[in-house]
């Protein structure tokens, strides 16, 4: 039946303790600079980072928007190409044997090493960033979805057999919905990887995005701005992760009996 | 491995037969073979003169766990077999609602399985097995995970449904009193390799009521079944 609501004091500590942790870190940071007299170009004070963030907010938002779109599109590409491939390799033994080892091999390859080639093929526009984001986000979606499709509870398959469901019906009405929690788990990993992929793409060659801003700020020895860009990237990554995690939490009770 | 040997039994139409035995005696395997979910390595299952090699359209199966699809509502879980058979029409929906109302779940049509208790879930599973008016209902320890009180309620419900539908029921259990209370006939199994150690006709009139459980005749049937299981020595 319904689980008891979390006690409010628990909710308070859940917010208060992380905030306390953050404050402690900021204090150590500030203390370190004061104690060792670190120049701003090497490590800016927390307040300087905050000021750089506030003063450059429009810039951070417009560059962040570029990185956001590259990450999201790259993720969506990985999602919509990854799921059919997972379906194919999990439903056909032949396809599985043919392509699964290849998939593992591509995963073992560091994607950064491919980035310069992708740049040659696709140019310096958004296409190359999408390709890199897609490449890194693709693998967890394929592997988790394929795992999900192969771990349908046997009782559910018995149910399908007992009502004489066709292979097609068993797939769409039982195996696929039962695999959705796995798809979401894969997506949570993939979305954070997609942001990394987009930034790698921007690092290699770009004139926009937070990755590019980071490089520009670094070359100008504007360390507070570089930190502000990092902060914006962290916020972006967490927001995207939270969006997928939110879907996960919303769907969780529906799949309570499928999870192992 | 031989899970089961020398089971020779004729199931009579409209009867409720209980397969009673310890874990691993092959009673579930026998039920699955009758259902067409498992192929026998030897021998055959013949129903209405035809060998059963796959699940039949007019069989209903109730699993050990409720085995509901958690992403579907109660109503759509009950309608699942009709959906698969391509018979999802107004009549099917009306029947599903009627069945759910009959088992006391009329207010939970739109609920999801995770919102229900164990007994409620198993009642939904029972409705799902009955939705296409099967002539043979196969039940694999369906009430094993329920508490005593819920289990007794389910017994009344099952006998009630069976009286209304006239369906033949094959019921697997490891509870002596459950087998005696429900069945026209109890097949008692001994452990590996599974074989039928006793066949007990329960000549107690239906409708049966809870008070019956405490009569001398009932106790005597229980004692005989216990002897068949090997938990008692023959007197």
């Amino acid at each position: 039946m319904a689980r008891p609501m979390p006690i409010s004091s628990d909710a308070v500590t859940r917010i208060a303790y992380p905030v306390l942790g953050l404050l402690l870190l900021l204090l150590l940071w500030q203390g370190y600079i004061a104690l060792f007299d670190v120049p701003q170009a090497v490590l800016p004070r927390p307040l300087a980072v905050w000021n750089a963030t506030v003063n450059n907010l429009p810039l951070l938002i417009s560059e962040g928007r570029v990185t956001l779109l590259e990450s999201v599109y790259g993720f969506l590409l990985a999602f919509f190409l990854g799921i059919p491939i997972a379906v194919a390799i999990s439903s056909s033994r032949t396809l599985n044997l043919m392509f699964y080892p290849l998939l593992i091999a591509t995963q073992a390859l560091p994607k950064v090493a491919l980035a310069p080639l992708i740049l040659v093929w696709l140019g310096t526009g958004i296409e190359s960033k999408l390709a890199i984001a897609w490449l890194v986000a693709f693998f967890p979606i394929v592997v988790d979805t394929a795992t999900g499709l192969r771990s349908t509870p046997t009782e559910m398959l018995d149910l399908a057999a007992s009502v004489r469901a066709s292979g097609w019906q068993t797939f769409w009405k039982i195996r696929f919905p039962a695999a959705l929690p796995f798809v979401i788990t894969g997506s949570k990993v993939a979305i954070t990887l997609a942001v990394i992929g987009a930034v790698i793409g921007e690092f290699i060659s770009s004139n926009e995005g937070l990755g590019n801003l980071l490089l520009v700020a670094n070359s100008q020895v504007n360390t507070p701005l570089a930190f502000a860009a990092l902060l914006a990237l962290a916020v972006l990554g967490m927001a995207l992760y939270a969006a997928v995690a939110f879907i996960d939490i919303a769907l969780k009770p529906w799949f309570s009996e499928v999870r192992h | 491995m031989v899970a089961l040997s020398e089971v020779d039994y004729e199931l009579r139409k409209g009867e409720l037969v209980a397969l009673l035995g310890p874990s691993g005696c092959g009673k579930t395997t026998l039920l699955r073979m009758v259902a067409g979910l498992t192929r026998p390595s030897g021998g055959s299952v013949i129903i209405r003169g035809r060998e059963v090699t796959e699940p039949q359209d007019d069989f209903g199966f109730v699993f050990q766990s409720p085995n509901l699809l958690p992403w579907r509502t109660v109503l759509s879980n009950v309608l699942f077999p009709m959906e698969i058979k391509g018979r999802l029409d107004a009549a099917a929906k009306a029947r599903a609602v009627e069945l759910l109302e009959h088992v006391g779940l009329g207010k939970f049509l739109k609920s999801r399985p995770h919102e229900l208790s164990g007994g409620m879930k198993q009642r939904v599973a029972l409705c799902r097995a009955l939705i296409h008016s099967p002539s043979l209902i196969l039940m694999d320890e369906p009430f094993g995970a329920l508490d005593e009180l819920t289990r007794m309620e389910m017994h009344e419900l099952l006998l009630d449904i069976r009286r209304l539908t006239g369906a033949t029921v094959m019921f697997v259990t490891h509870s002596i009193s459950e087998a005696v209370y429900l069945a026209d006939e109890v097949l008692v199994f001994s452990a590996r390799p599974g074989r039928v150690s006793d066949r007990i006709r329960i000549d107690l009139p239906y409708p049966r009521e809870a008070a019956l459980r405490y009569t001398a005749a009932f106790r005597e049937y229980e004692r005989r079944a216990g002897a068949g299981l090997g938990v008692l020595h023959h007197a």
Side-chain angles (χ1 to χ4, degrees):
Chain A
M1 300 302 261
R3 268 173 291 164
M5 290 290 288
I7 311 155
S8 58
S9 74
D10 181 51
V12 171
T13 45
R14 272 162 172 273
I15 294 170
Y17 278 88
V19 170
L20 205 66
L22 182 66
L23 285 177
L24 200 66
L25 183 72
L26 291 177
L27 205 69
L28 282 173
W29 180 350
Q30 178 76 46
Y32 177 78
I33 292 169
L35 203 62
F36 296 99
D37 199 17
V38 186
Q40 169 152 305
V42 176
L43 186 65
R45 287 170 298 116
L47 196 63
V49 174
W50 178 251
N51 285 337
T53 309
V54 173
N55 294 337
N56 294 294
L57 205 55
L59 177 69
L60 288 170
I61 289 176
S62 67
E63 299 302 312
R65 195 175 156 272
V66 173
T67 308
L68 173 76
L69 290 180
E70 290 164 355
S71 311
V72 171
Y73 290 156
F75 167 77
L76 290 177
L77 215 58
F79 189 85
F80 287 108
L81 285 175
I83 287 179
I85 288 177
V87 169
I89 61 172
S90 67
S91 46
S92 156
R93 197 178 135 73
T94 314
L95 289 178
N96 187 25
L97 287 173
M98 279 171 75
F99 294 113
Y100 206 72
L102 276 176
L103 212 66
I104 304 281
T106 28
Q107 182 54 18
L109 200 68
K111 251 60 73 185
V112 197
L114 280 181
L117 272 177
I118 288 173
L119 224 64
V120 173
W121 295 331
L122 296 175
T124 55
I126 190 170
E127 293 87 353
S128 55
K129 319 300 176 296
L130 289 191
I132 298 169
W134 167 74
L135 207 60
V136 290
F138 176 72
F139 189 74
I141 289 185
V142 174
V143 170
D144 282 356
T145 306
T147 307
L149 289 171
R150 277 193 300 252
S151 28
T152 317
T154 44
E155 276 214 315
M156 285 189 185
L157 296 175
D158 274 345
L159 170 69
S162 78
V163 297
R164 300 163 58 106
S166 67
W168 188 251
Q169 286 173 322
T170 305
F171 181 81
W172 283 112
K173 293 182 190 291
I174 293 192
R175 285 179 56 209
F176 191 71
L180 281 179
F182 292 84
V183 177
I184 292 170
T185 306
S187 300
K188 278 205 265 189
V189 178
I191 192 83
T192 31
L193 289 181
V195 179
I196 296 176
V199 172
I200 290 175
E202 289 170 359
F203 270 2
I204 303 287
S205 165
S206 184
N207 44 26
E208 52 182 356
L210 288 172
N212 177 60
L213 181 65
L214 200 60
L215 286 187
V216 171
N218 253 337
S219 68
Q220 296 170 349
V221 205
N222 187 350
T223 322
L225 181 61
F227 268 78
L230 274 179
L231 189 64
L233 269 175
V235 169
L236 176 69
M238 282 194 291
L240 287 174
Y241 181 82
V244 180
F246 178 76
I247 297 173
D248 188 25
I249 291 165
L251 291 181
K252 201 164 239 169
W254 289 29
F255 295 99
S256 53
E257 279 155 67
V258 197
R259 272 168 196 275
H260 299 287
Chain B
M1 186 192 78
V2 179
L4 202 61
S5 70
E6 294 178 48
V7 178
D8 204 349
Y9 182 68
E10 249 173 72
L11 182 62
R12 273 178 270 185
K13 192 173 187 300
E15 291 221 322
L16 197 160
V17 59
L19 310 182
L20 173 68
S23 305
C25 72
K27 56 195 193 305
T28 293
T29 309
L30 177 61
L31 188 81
R32 289 179 61 91
M33 290 192 299
V34 173
L37 289 172
T38 301
R39 290 293 296 272
S41 48
S44 58
V45 175
I46 292 166
I47 290 176
R48 287 167 306 212
R50 279 244 196 91
E51 186 170 354
V52 175
T53 54
E54 57 175 0
Q56 306 291 301
D57 263 328
D58 63 338
F59 287 2
F61 202 97
V62 182
F63 297 85
Q64 220 160 341
S65 74
N67 200 13
L68 302 177
L69 303 176
W71 54 87
R72 286 176 168 244
T73 62
V74 163
L75 183 62
S76 121
N77 261 292
V78 172
L79 284 167
F80 181 72
M82 300 308 262
E83 196 178 311
I84 296 297
K85 291 167 201 290
R87 285 158 55 195
L88 194 63
D89 50 17
K93 280 176 196 156
R95 181 169 159 79
V97 172
E98 192 187 317
L99 278 168
L100 284 164
E101 278 171 355
H102 188 82
V103 301
L105 292 174
K107 290 195 176 124
F108 296 90
L109 302 181
K110 299 278 171 228
S111 302
R112 306 263 167 199
H114 71 94
E115 297 168 291
L116 308 181
S117 70
M120 291 158 94
K121 282 187 216 173
Q122 202 52 286
R123 276 183 272 168
V124 177
L126 193 57
C127 293
R128 178 177 62 192
L130 293 168
I131 184 68
H132 56 296
S133 309
S135 55
L136 175 63
I137 304 168
L138 300 151
M139 308 178 89
D140 184 11
E141 293 185 39
F143 311 141
L146 304 179
D147 63 84
E148 184 82 16
L149 213 61
T150 312
R151 185 186 260 249
M152 283 161 78
E153 282 170 19
M154 295 299 286
H155 291 163
E156 302 311 320
L157 191 62
L158 175 60
L159 289 180
D160 186 38
I161 282 166
R162 183 247 189 159
R163 183 175 55 80
L164 293 172
T165 61
T168 310
V169 183
M170 204 172 204
F171 189 101
V172 164
T173 180
H174 53 233
S175 157
I176 297 177
S177 73
E178 181 168 80
V180 173
Y181 187 71
L182 294 173
D184 288 290
E185 187 155 69
V186 178
L187 284 191
V188 186
F189 285 73
S190 61
R192 293 165 195 277
R195 61 178 76 237
V196 177
S197 58
D198 200 1
R199 274 174 70 164
I200 311 173
R201 273 217 82 78
I202 311 292
D203 284 315
L204 298 169
Y206 293 98
R208 294 179 184 169
E209 281 166 13
L212 185 70
R213 297 174 192 268
Y214 310 102
T215 62
F218 193 88
R219 290 262 160 85
E220 175 54 27
Y221 283 125
E222 285 189 327
R223 196 202 57 76
R224 187 173 155 193
L229 287 172
V231 295
L232 293 172
H233 294 290
H234 288 272

